[in-house]
Amino acid sequence: METTGTRRSLAGLLVVWALTRTALLLFVFKVYVFPGPDVTTDVSVIYQGWYEVLRTGTFPQDDVTWQYPPAAALAILSPALLFYLDYASAFFVLAFTADLAVLALLLHAGLRRGRSLRGAWVWAVGVPLLGPTVYARYDVMVTAVAVAALLAGARHPRVMGALTAFAALLKVWPVLLLVAARRRSAWVSAALTAGLLAALFAVAMPGAFAFLTFQRDRGTEVESLGALVFHVARHFGWDGQVLLNYGSVEFLGPYVDVVSTAALALTGLAFGWLLLWRFKAARFLPHTLADAAFVAVLMFTTTSRVISPQYMVWLVGLAAVCLCFRGGRMGWPVALVLAACLVTVLEFPLWFSHVVSSDTLGITLLFLRNGLLVLATLLAARELWRSTVSASEPGPVPAQAARTKETSLPS
């Protein structure tokens, strides 16, 4: 039975979503100009340039800024579906549609018995905190597929596996959704789907996997955790440079390769921790699949050589799925991620010039944003361990049994 509280929460949620998304559309269509650099040029210049190459039947294999797996071509080509609009306008409309799809998925999940609308609220509030960058990158489309995969995981592991494989071929990170998948059918489905799609792209379009070399050669991007070393070092005589390199603003110069290697080592340690957790985990609750995916993507985002603003969209989507479950315990890490989103829009695009110049404001913003991500990662990992491994954690069965007897929908 739907309660009055649920109806009010749902109405408020829809109003907030509609108002914030209207604002985002007004910004990307330049009815109002968002402060800072124009974030829409990636669509009108870079994406559209790739589109012109892709439509000829080949990947932009001579362009080092193409650093995406082969299914990304589908996202770049998708504006052709709205042939009556110019490329950029069509892309913004499709990004908005993906945003709406995520909301619909979270509402459908949140209104089921034993679930919560908190996840939909996280998505409604978290996305606009990042500003118009969300609609000017294809990451929101990837996140929509990833959210669908996670929500399908408990009941439809084969569907989850197929969606995860497709999302991973759009942008590699969704492969981490499988970290807590227990059913063999999910892994088999993912492997078969990935193999089939990869083979189709390799045969049909030259240069499908050129992106692997381009990713290997990347440096340390100015917004990453490791970049803080050079932001501070510039004030003590470090003579490196900040240049546009491989499609992002990166540090180049002495010791950059050392810091980049250290970032890769941290990523390796994160992977080792995840393997240890997977080996020792004994309790898999309904929300464990989402929690583990959230922790894994947090770890790999925080330790990455590149933390672009659009990466935060991934974390907001996974955080939203975590809070769809009433028993989920990721509240504090999710709150920290949302705070990091707010700081992110301040460092890019609002005050990105301060970040590039490594002045006091720029360094402060990066320390704050990256510090919030580190803290969120540590807290989320601790909660995941405590809820699935720690012997002191009380068993979930009585609480779950009680919840199955509830007759009212969650609010």
Side-chain angles (χ1 to χ4, degrees), residues 333-353:
V334 169
L336 291 170
V337 166
L338 292 179
C341 288
L342 179 58
V343 181
T344 296
V345 80
L346 297 179
E347 63 93 358
F348 184 89
L350 193 58
W351 288 320
F352 190 59
S353 61

Side-chain angles (χ1 to χ4, degrees), residues 38-275:
D38 182 6
V39 300
T40 66
T41 56
D42 271 29
V43 177
S44 58
V45 177
I46 298 175
Y47 284 12
Q48 189 163 1
W50 291 337
Y51 170 82
E52 297 299 337
V53 176
L54 289 166
R55 65 190 300 193
T56 66
T58 184
F59 284 90
Q61 51 190 323
D62 296 324
D63 184 349
V64 296
T65 63
W66 175 262
Q67 298 167 10
Y68 309 105
L74 301 178
I76 302 302
L77 290 169
S78 63
L81 297 172
L82 304 181
F83 56 88
Y84 47 87
L85 295 175
D86 64 86
Y87 183 87
S89 297
F91 187 91
F92 300 145
V93 171
L94 291 172
F96 167 82
T97 303
D99 180 1
L100 178 60
V102 175
L103 179 69
L105 289 167
L106 293 169
L107 286 176
H108 181 265
L111 289 172
R112 292 169 54 189
R113 182 175 290 114
R115 302 292 183 88
S116 172
L117 285 177
R118 292 183 305 162
W121 272 107
V122 167
W123 182 254
V125 173
V127 166
L129 289 178
L130 294 168
T133 303
V134 175
Y135 284 0
R137 307 291 188 273
Y138 83 92
D139 296 80
V140 67
M141 303 174 185
V142 184
T143 302
V145 181
V147 168
L150 269 184
L151 291 175
R155 296 186 175 185
H156 308 286
R158 290 186 180 86
V159 174
M160 178 196 175
L163 289 174
T164 298
F166 177 57
L169 285 173
L170 284 167
K171 205 158 193 178
V172 178
W173 68 266
V175 73
L176 296 170
L177 303 184
L178 292 170
V179 68
R182 301 179 68 196
R183 298 188 184 182
R184 183 180 301 176
S185 57
W187 288 90
V188 172
S189 176
L192 291 176
T193 303
L196 177 61
L197 289 176
L200 287 174
F201 277 110
V203 171
M205 297 178 70
F209 295 97
F211 78 99
L212 294 171
T213 300
F214 300 153
Q215 279 287 358
R216 181 195 64 198
D217 294 337
R218 293 197 72 157
T220 296
E221 191 255 349
V222 295
E223 296 165 279
S224 66
L225 184 64
L228 288 169
V229 173
F230 300 111
H231 283 294
V232 174
R234 291 177 82 182
H235 292 269
F236 295 91
W238 182 73
D239 59 354
Q241 296 177 297
V242 177
L243 296 174
L244 184 63
N245 187 52
Y246 287 95
S248 65
V249 181
E250 298 180 354
F251 281 113
L252 299 175
Y255 306 109
V256 170
D257 58 337
V258 176
V259 172
S260 295
T261 301
L264 290 174
L266 283 176
T267 299
L269 288 174
F271 183 71
W273 186 92
L274 288 169
L275 287 178

